[in-house]
Amino acid sequence: MVVDDHPVVIAGVRAWCSLADPPIEVLDAGPTVATAWLPPGNEADVVVFDLQLDLTGPAYGDLKRLVDAGRQVVVYSMRADRETVLNCLDIGAFTYLTKAEGEDHLVAATQAAAQNVPYLPPMLSGAFGTDNRPDRPKLSPRETEVLLEWFRSESKEMVAKRLNLTVRRVNACLERARIKYANVGRPAPTKAALVARAIQDGLVRADEL
């Protein structure tokens, strides 16, 4: 579903989704986040969310409520400053696109969000590359090794085999990494979120995945 207060944007997103391969069904659209909580919008797998719905500033509170409810949120905004982009990722948005990035990236990001696989558009890649904030967790060498191998593997069992570890040890390393991110206020509850954090912190490049 689409949350945007510009009818022309909603019309454009609807058209792009209908032409996607396979087509993406837009269940509902509206100018306020309330649409995402009411039928049929509450059934949508992905919420395409305009961060700037009024003149009061970015709607971080609405974004957090959607994320906390387990919604996959693709932020689609005119704002392109690094602070806004990184704040949205820290809150838990699936990914962030500027409206200048257009049809191809929005369709690809929506499809990726529905499948819970990472998607890194150009704007987000640039924001990650310039992130020098001090709130990065200190992962151990083993935690980092397990994390990176998991990004490249189809299962934790495969990670265990490749690193000569037990699956229990793999799970423990991944859980400790998640706890460390949560403790610095940057939760990463899903694999896609951990990938985003690792790219953001320079542990891995997008082209290595």
Side-chain angles (χ1 to χ4, degrees):
M1 71 146 304
V2 184
V3 178
D4 199 292
D5 57 355
H6 292 88
V8 67
V9 173
I10 291 176
V13 173
R14 283 187 182 276
W16 294 343
C17 288
S18 68
L19 295 173
D21 184 20
I24 299 169
E25 181 183 5
V26 179
L27 294 180
D28 203 359
T32 72
V33 74
T35 317
W37 299 107
L38 300 172
N42 63 327
E43 298 294 330
D45 293 325
V46 180
V47 179
V48 176
F49 182 67
D50 180 6
L51 190 67
Q52 193 79 35
L53 293 173
D54 53 40
L55 299 178
T56 62
Y60 293 135
D62 287 330
L63 174 60
K64 187 176 188 306
R65 283 185 284 275
L66 289 169
V67 170
D68 287 348
R71 311 294 292 274
Q72 289 280 58
V73 183
V74 174
V75 176
Y76 191 49
S77 174
M78 291 296 295
R79 297 180 68 102
D81 59 286
R82 181 173 65 93
E83 181 180 358
T84 298
V85 174
L86 295 176
N87 280 343
C88 288
L89 267 293
D90 285 347
I91 289 170
F94 174 79
T95 195
Y96 190 109
L97 293 96
T98 67
K99 290 181 178 177
E101 287 174 301
E103 177 180 2
D104 290 344
H105 287 294
L106 182 62
V107 168
T110 302
Q111 292 170 331
Q115 299 170 41
N116 198 29
V117 296
Y119 186 77
L120 190 70
M123 175 62 202
L124 192 54
S125 179
F128 283 164
T130 58
D131 183 13
N132 55 8
R133 297 176 301 175
D135 56 348
R136 298 183 178 187
K138 292 180 172 60
L139 304 183
S140 71
R142 176 61 85 184
E143 289 163 358
T144 302
E145 181 183 35
V146 169
L147 199 64
L148 298 183
E149 191 60 47
W150 188 45
F151 296 159
R152 304 183 181 104
S153 302
E154 295 180 2
S155 69
K156 295 174 183 176
E157 289 77 11
M158 189 176 294
V159 175
K161 183 177 181 180
R162 288 177 176 174
L163 298 181
N164 196 28
L165 300 172
T166 64
V167 174
R168 182 175 180 178
R169 180 76 185 280
V170 170
N171 281 325
C173 287
L174 295 175
E175 186 60 25
R176 284 199 301 270
R178 285 198 172 97
I179 290 171
K180 287 180 179 181
Y181 272 110
N183 285 343
V184 296
R186 300 167 63 203
T190 66
K191 186 174 186 177
L194 274 174
V195 169
R197 298 298 185 219
I199 295 173
Q200 186 176 358
D201 292 348
L203 297 176
V204 65
R205 299 193 311 271
D207 59 7
E208 293 178 318
L209 300 176

